[in-house]
Amino acid sequence: MTGKRRSVTLVSSILALALLATPALAGPEPLTTVEGISEYRLDNGLQVLLFPDSSKPTFTVNVTYFVGSRHEGRGEKGMAHLLEHMVFKGTPNHPDIWKALEDHGASFNGTTWVDRTNYYETLPSTVEGNLDWTLGMEADRMINSKISAEDLSTEFSVVRNEFEMGENNPTSVLWERMMATAYIWHNYGDSTIGSKSDIERVPVENLRRFYEKYYQPDNAMLVVAGDFDPAAALALIQKHFGPIPRPSRKLEDTYTVEPVQDGARHVELKRVGDVAAAGTVYHIPAGSHPDYAALDVLQQIMTDQPAGRLYKALVESGLASQVFGVAFGWREPGVAINIAQAQSGGDPRPVLDTMVATVEGLKQNPVTEDEVKRARRTLLKNIELAMKNSGRIGVQLSEWAAAGDWRLMFLHRDRIEQVTLADVRRVAAQYFTESNRTSGIFYPQQADQLLRAQIPAAPDVAAVLKDYQGREALAEGEQFEATTANIESRVTRLTLDNGMQLALLPKQTRGDAVSAVVALRFAAEQDLAGRVTAVGMVPDLLMRGTDKYSYQQIKDRLDELKATVSMGGGGGLGGVDNSMFVNVRTDRENLVPVLELVDHILRHATFPDKEFEIVKKEQLTQLENQLSEPQPRAFNFLLRTLNPYPEDNVRYLPTLEQAIERLKAVKVEDLRKFHKQFYGASHAQMTVIGDFDAGQVEQAVRKTLGAWKSPKPFVRIASKHQDGIQGRLEKILTPDKKMAMVAGGMNVRMRDDDPRYPAMHFANYVLGGSAKSRLLDRLRQKEGLSYGTGSFFSAGSQDERALFAGMAICAPENAAQAHDSLVDEFRRLVQQGIPAAELEDAKASYALQIKNQLANDAMVAGMLNNGLYLGRKMDWWQRLYDAIAALTPEQLKAALAGSVNLDGMVRVQAGDLPAETAGAAAGAEESDE
């Protein structure tokens, strides 16, 4: 039974009167501090972690409840996840939490996993009262959430829609089936999303009892990370959470122990799809067990790209298009899981056989010292990079706390550092055995009888961590006011000898972190004729090998430099963009060597034949996967219809089938020729933000990219507004897909410097661009039709061409209703505009969202880099924000009326649609003029 519950308001009133006769509640009790994170506990049992970091003007609040799918009983499958949704439905004091979070400028979410549920939000610390409000809201919904039958009647279908979204993906379903087969009794075998029948039928009284049992201070951990004053935060935590009484009920931990697996298990999945898959699952110890660190290293050795054993055996050999895997470190013994997708049309049987032989053949082909060192280096680099983001760590602490204790995060790092070759070989022999295997295949497959493997119990975490102290916390950065004016005052812009533009913004950051972005622009329209697909593949192959380094050597060097580098091609509404981008993340010490390595990669890529074939197969598999999927088919139709060009035009957007054929025709020599003929930095832009020496970086860039001239000039590929598009509805059938997609959009003649642009930009924010948007409020909150819905408005900076569109996912039987609601909201916006009260309310939340965006270094780097290309400084953005702040209902309505033609709205429904269209063939398109 649960203890008697009272509202925070009532408790606070009683306590206020009681202060006349009794002592005040005791303050938070300090417990321990590890690497800058301090732990406290309130009298009511609430665990509190404070992680101050003033390097960014934001803070993150994360509340973790130690309840997940592991705690669900009969008829409760998916209850923890469903409850996560319901807690966003509000309390008497906070009736609309989605809107309130948006009003306070929050980026927020909630997640459910096997051992825990958490809610987190990141807000601007520069807004007075934000921390006070956030803590008050979380304390309120800890015990006062409504959990009403009315809210459940709409939200259960939203959760069901999320369930159906996963059901559309055979690989995801294969994962679930293997887990359910690997576990006979333990709830880890149950999908967190739950059972469809339980989601649909759960009585609200049962859900409320579940909430009252687990959503209590003695079963929760509160983390505050980021820019805040610890003393003030503790006072606010005591103020809001302290009055909540400790419940009288006593929680008992789950006690089911999964028996030792006594033979191979196998599951077969037969569903509609285009690409076969195979996978394996092996039981492993809990995340707190010493063996888990060695297993984590071993999993990295198996699936790392390109050195991983499974990657080489499956992907490089041509058997599979991709492979991925993870070793889960849960509170109780978990699993290591691997899944591979076969080549298109390939037999998954050899994929599974090779996967099993590779994983279970480590005794005959043992792991090497070099592999262990490389895996350790990669894992430790990722941990170190994560530690430089306090908001990310604030949320990540949920996982380790759920595994037994938040300090396991640091202990696990320490254990990885100490993992030896002998440790890895031992755990491979102990756990990756035939008797411990569950296999799955998306096609028939038979498995052999196996031996057994013992799984050790979870250790006593308190004893393990009794004297643990950790190490010195990372240095904090400076307090930086993230405004357009302050950002602009710090920026230095230069034009180098080869014509390249450079923007530098030095500032002190947590852990000396630094980010950089480079945009290369090349060639002209005629140079891309017949080469669009090949040009798009070039960025994907650049890091696969140079005249000096192999793919593996490049990856090893980046790990040594504690850096991440990604390269990708640009893309426009027309499907082509003669540019590519490089994103870099590292630290002050390694920035210059990283920039030198990037320069070498960009100039001296060799496009190895083997790597070209791997990337080509990966991309073909991705395209073939999309053939029977509602979302890509819907968007491909929508964009093709709104952007009609002849097939020989570089702006032409091919069908999915045409894209596959074009990709098949590309040869590696096409990439090599284009790179040699057109790549250079004469028309490039580069931005660096973070902890670096500006003079040193400028000198390094001048010697590298700044000295690289383009062989031929860059000429922008212009696009035009497409007139005369007639509105229509298209129905695309994708059989056996449990989630449908509805979408609609229209062309708008506009650039982003048009006087109407601020109104259109903001109208989209109100319609579907925020967490309290009209589309989300109607289709999700009120009608319960869609798990995800929204809109977007994209206008060019140099051409009068814009797209205004919206979308929603839903169950196939709800597609017609979701479509009608989506279209109706567009009509209501254009015909009625936005009332003054709604407009002012949205302006306030938008302004707070901008504060968060300006505090994001990666986002600011993109703004500055784009500004270099367009000749804009940060005052351009400030003028946009000012124009939005000054908008009136009349201006908005006039801009919408003068810009949007509803008769030109192209609409699409895609999915396993109801009977009236069931006679059409799979993938067929049915038009309704």
Side-chain angles (χ1 to χ4, degrees):
M1 295 181 62
T2 61
K4 186 176 180 181
R5 302 168 61 83
R6 296 166 289 175
S7 72
V8 173
T9 303
L10 178 59
V11 171
S12 298
S13 300
I14 294 173
L15 288 173
L17 294 173
L19 284 174
L20 297 175
T22 61
L25 291 173
E29 176 190 4
L31 297 181
T32 186
T33 297
V34 174
E35 299 189 20
I37 302 176
S38 299
E39 180 182 5
Y40 303 82
R41 192 173 299 277
L42 270 58
D43 280 352
N44 56 19
L46 179 68
Q47 186 180 9
V48 177
L49 301 182
L50 299 185
F51 188 11
D53 170 23
S54 60
S55 61
K56 290 184 179 179
T58 60
F59 65 87
T60 297
V61 169
N62 179 74
V63 179
T64 301
Y65 296 95
F66 298 112
V67 57
S69 54
R70 172 166 64 91
H71 302 85
E72 295 166 348
R74 182 176 62 86
E76 296 179 344
K77 304 307 178 185
M79 186 173 283
H81 176 251
L82 179 57
L83 186 57
E84 174 214 319
H85 282 245
M86 293 294 290
V87 170
F88 278 100
K89 289 295 187 179
T91 72
N93 290 331
H94 296 86
D96 192 342
I97 287 179
W98 279 63
K99 178 180 181 299
L101 285 164
E102 188 77 12
D103 289 345
H104 284 79
S107 300
F108 62 95
N109 204 352
T111 69
T112 308
W113 196 215
V114 294
D115 294 315
R116 56 88 191 141
T117 305
N118 76 319
Y119 304 85
Y120 60 91
E121 46 271 340
T122 298
L123 296 92
S125 58
T126 54
V127 178
E128 185 175 356
N130 256 1
L131 181 58
D132 189 9
W133 178 86
T134 304
L135 293 171
M137 181 275 293
E138 289 290 3
D140 189 23
R141 68 173 173 176
M142 175 179 282
I143 62 169
N144 293 324
S145 294
K146 291 184 291 184
I147 319 296
S148 69
E150 179 183 1
D151 288 335
L152 180 60
S153 66
T154 58
E155 196 64 24
F156 90 86
S157 59
V158 171
V159 176
R160 184 182 63 188
N161 187 208
E162 186 180 359
F163 168 88
E164 290 158 345
M165 180 171 59
E167 288 290 293
N168 271 14
N169 187 333
T171 303
S172 174
V173 177
L174 179 63
W175 177 304
E176 291 182 4
R177 298 296 184 269
M178 289 194 300
M179 290 295 291
T181 305
Y183 286 96
I184 298 175
W185 304 111
H186 199 284
N187 274 9
Y188 280 167
D190 298 331
S191 169
T192 304
I193 196 71
S195 159
K196 184 177 180 181
S197 62
D198 285 5
I199 295 170
E200 292 176 335
R201 300 178 183 182
V202 57
V204 70
E205 296 81 8
N206 293 13
L207 189 61
R208 190 178 295 115
R209 281 197 297 270
F210 195 87
Y211 165 70
E212 292 174 352
K213 179 179 180 180
Y214 291 106
Y215 278 56
Q216 296 277 8
D218 64 340
N219 192 47
M221 181 181 76
L222 168 68
V223 180
V224 183
D227 184 23
F228 65 92
D229 178 75
L234 280 176
L236 291 173
I237 291 167
Q238 181 66 29
K239 166 189 170 184
H240 293 294
F241 289 90
I244 301 175
R246 182 190 288 266
S248 58
R249 63 94 181 94
K250 179 177 175 59
L251 283 177
E252 294 182 359
D253 207 354
T254 56
Y255 49 80
T256 300
V257 176
E258 183 69 18
V260 175
Q261 188 165 329
D262 54 4
R265 300 171 191 166
H266 183 71
V267 60
E268 295 176 358
L269 178 66
K270 297 180 181 179
R271 283 197 171 203
V272 171
D274 301 290
V275 180
T280 57
V281 175
Y282 298 87
H283 293 278
I284 63 172
S288 55
H289 193 277
D291 281 358
Y292 178 66
L295 284 159
D296 203 11
V297 171
L298 180 57
Q299 186 67 37
Q300 179 71 20
I301 291 171
M302 298 306 294
T303 56
D304 182 41
Q305 180 177 332
R309 294 283 185 99
L310 287 173
Y311 182 86
K312 288 184 175 297
L314 296 172
V315 179
E316 287 191 359
S317 70
L319 281 175
S321 62
Q322 60 176 310
V323 62
F324 56 94
V326 63
F328 287 115
W330 292 332
R331 185 179 184 91
E332 297 176 6
V335 294
I337 184 168
N338 297 298
I339 293 183
Q341 286 191 324
Q343 293 289 354
S344 176
D347 184 358
R349 192 183 311 270
V351 175
L352 180 60
D353 290 344
T354 303
M355 179 181 290
V356 169
T358 304
V359 174
E360 297 176 13
L362 293 173
K363 184 176 181 180
Q364 294 76 26
N365 187 16
V367 170
T368 66
E369 184 68 38
D370 285 343
E371 287 178 309
V372 173
K373 288 180 179 179
R374 178 182 293 133
R376 277 201 316 252
R377 187 167 59 238
T378 298
L379 292 172
L380 292 171
K381 177 199 74 172
N382 292 336
I383 292 171
E384 183 171 338
L385 288 175
M387 283 298 297
K388 296 178 181 181
N389 186 331
S390 58
R392 180 177 170 187
I393 292 299
V395 176
Q396 190 173 334
L397 286 167
S398 292
E399 307 300 332
W400 289 106
D405 191 298
W406 62 274
R407 292 170 295 174
L408 285 170
M409 181 173 70
F410 300 102
L411 181 63
H412 181 63
R413 175 203 59 201
D414 297 351
R415 284 173 169 174
I416 288 177
E417 289 178 338
Q418 297 162 12
V419 167
T420 66
L421 176 62
D423 293 331
V424 175
R425 289 180 174 177
R426 176 181 56 78
V427 298
Q430 184 172 352
Y431 303 112
F432 287 178
T433 65
E434 288 181 294
S435 67
N436 195 31
R437 182 213 310 154
T438 297
S439 61
I441 198 165
F442 183 40
Y443 287 144
Q445 173 68 37
Q446 184 67 41
D448 297 331
Q449 292 285 326
L450 305 176
L451 299 173
R452 299 181 178 182
Q454 282 286 351
I455 307 300
D460 183 345
V461 177
V464 172
L465 293 165
K466 179 181 178 182
D467 299 316
Y468 185 76
Q469 298 297 321
R471 58 187 70 174
E472 186 178 351
L474 289 175
E476 293 187 17
E478 66 175 292
Q479 290 185 339
F480 182 82
E481 184 183 6
T483 64
T484 56
N486 198 34
I487 291 169
E488 184 62 40
S489 70
R490 288 281 193 98
V491 177
T492 300
R493 294 178 179 84
L494 304 163
T495 300
L496 307 185
D497 293 342
N498 66 342
M500 177 180 176
Q501 297 168 290
L502 177 64
L504 303 175
L505 197 167
K507 65 174 183 174
Q508 297 176 19
T509 57
R510 176 175 174 79
D512 301 331
V514 59
S515 300
V517 59
V518 180
L520 294 186
R521 305 181 192 275
F522 40 78
E525 179 176 341
Q526 63 271 20
D527 301 321
L528 269 65
R531 310 164 87 174
V532 172
T533 304
V535 172
M537 289 185 71
V538 171
D540 296 323
L541 269 297
L542 288 170
M543 293 181 64
R544 295 282 181 141
T546 70
D547 58 8
K548 184 178 178 181
Y549 300 117
S550 68
Y551 182 18
Q552 184 62 62
Q553 287 171 327
I554 291 173
K555 189 175 184 302
D556 289 345
R557 180 60 176 152
L558 289 173
D559 285 347
E560 291 168 2
L561 295 173
K562 302 177 182 179
T564 58
V565 174
S566 62
M567 299 184 181
L573 295 179
V576 62
D577 186 1
N578 48 339
S579 62
M580 66 85 60
F581 297 88
V582 183
N583 291 285
V584 176
R585 186 182 175 202
T586 184
D587 57 21
R588 180 187 182 98
E589 179 183 357
N590 294 298
L591 176 59
V592 170
V594 172
L595 295 180
E596 292 171 347
L597 179 60
V598 168
D599 173 72
H600 171 76
I601 292 169
L602 290 173
R603 293 199 197 206
H604 302 287
T606 56
F607 306 93
D609 292 350
K610 181 182 74 172
E611 297 298 336
F612 169 76
E613 291 301 324
I614 289 174
V615 171
K616 185 175 179 178
K617 289 174 182 176
E618 287 175 349
Q619 295 186 358
L620 281 171
T621 300
Q622 291 169 1
L623 285 171
E624 288 162 347
N625 271 334
Q626 294 177 11
L627 290 174
S628 60
E629 291 298 322
Q631 299 97 311
R633 292 199 67 90
F635 280 118
N636 181 259
F637 164 78
L638 183 66
L639 294 177
R640 280 173 47 80
T641 305
L642 291 172
N643 189 45
Y645 281 98
E647 283 193 42
D648 59 353
N649 192 295
V650 298
R651 302 167 187 80
Y652 174 76
L653 182 64
T655 65
L656 296 177
E657 292 81 1
Q658 289 172 333
I660 290 171
E661 293 307 311
R662 288 186 174 194
L663 183 56
K664 287 179 178 178
V666 175
K667 307 242 180 333
V668 68
E669 195 57 36
D670 300 334
L671 280 64
R672 292 174 180 147
K673 287 180 180 178
F674 188 87
H675 178 262
K676 182 178 180 180
Q677 291 174 353
F678 298 103
Y679 263 57
S682 297
H683 308 280
Q685 295 79 39
M686 179 176 181
T687 299
V688 186
I689 297 181
D691 207 321
F692 62 91
D693 182 287
Q696 183 186 41
V697 170
E698 178 189 344
Q699 183 180 13
V701 175
R702 286 185 182 276
K703 290 181 179 179
T704 54
L705 293 175
W708 186 26
K709 295 184 178 180
S710 300
K712 294 185 179 181
F714 158 72
V715 180
R716 183 179 66 86
I717 299 176
S719 59
K720 67 177 182 178
H721 172 73
Q722 299 280 2
D723 283 316
I725 304 296
Q726 296 298 314
R728 57 185 289 200
L729 170 62
E730 195 84 2
K731 294 181 180 179
I732 303 174
L733 298 185
T734 57
D736 200 34
K737 296 298 178 180
K738 303 303 181 184
M739 185 194 74
M741 167 69 69
V742 299
M746 66 211 79
N747 291 328
V748 177
R749 185 189 294 275
M750 184 178 294
R751 291 197 328 190
D752 65 6
D753 58 357
D754 190 295
R756 299 167 296 164
Y757 175 75
M760 288 297 300
H761 177 81
F762 194 68
N764 173 70
Y765 176 80
V766 173
L767 176 66
S770 76
K772 61 176 183 179
S773 68
R774 289 182 174 187
L775 287 176
L776 201 60
D777 182 62
R778 177 170 177 174
L779 275 78
R780 174 167 178 157
Q781 307 289 30
K782 293 179 179 177
E783 297 178 349
L785 296 174
S786 176
Y787 172 73
T789 179
S791 66
F792 62 92
F793 178 74
S794 176
S797 298
Q798 296 168 288
D799 297 310
E800 284 188 324
R801 181 161 179 265
L803 174 64
F804 192 18
M807 54 70 63
I809 60 173
C810 59
E813 62 267 24
N814 293 332
Q817 185 181 351
H819 163 270
D820 292 346
S821 294
L822 179 78
V823 173
D824 185 57
E825 286 302 320
F826 269 91
R827 287 176 178 154
R828 192 165 70 91
L829 177 72
V830 174
Q831 294 173 1
Q832 300 177 16
I834 304 173
E838 183 183 5
L839 177 61
E840 294 306 312
D841 180 71
K843 283 182 187 179
S845 58
Y846 179 81
L848 293 176
Q849 185 183 90
I850 295 303
K851 286 181 176 289
N852 267 354
Q853 292 176 356
L854 293 177
N856 185 315
D857 284 354
M859 187 167 291
V860 174
M863 295 165 71
L864 290 171
N865 220 52
N866 192 47
L868 287 174
Y869 173 57
L870 297 173
R872 293 173 176 173
K873 296 185 177 181
M874 291 302 294
D875 59 348
W876 187 91
W877 293 95
Q878 190 58 51
R879 287 194 297 274
L880 173 63
Y881 304 150
D882 292 342
I884 289 172
L887 282 173
T888 66
E890 294 75 21
Q891 289 173 325
L892 267 163
K893 190 171 184 181
L896 286 162
S899 307
V900 180
N901 175 20
L902 291 172
D903 293 335
M905 188 176 193
V906 177
R907 295 154 287 133
V908 59
Q909 299 175 17
D912 196 354
L913 302 176
E916 62 266 21
T917 54
E925 298 178 357
E926 179 178 297
S927 179
D928 177 16
E929 299 292 346

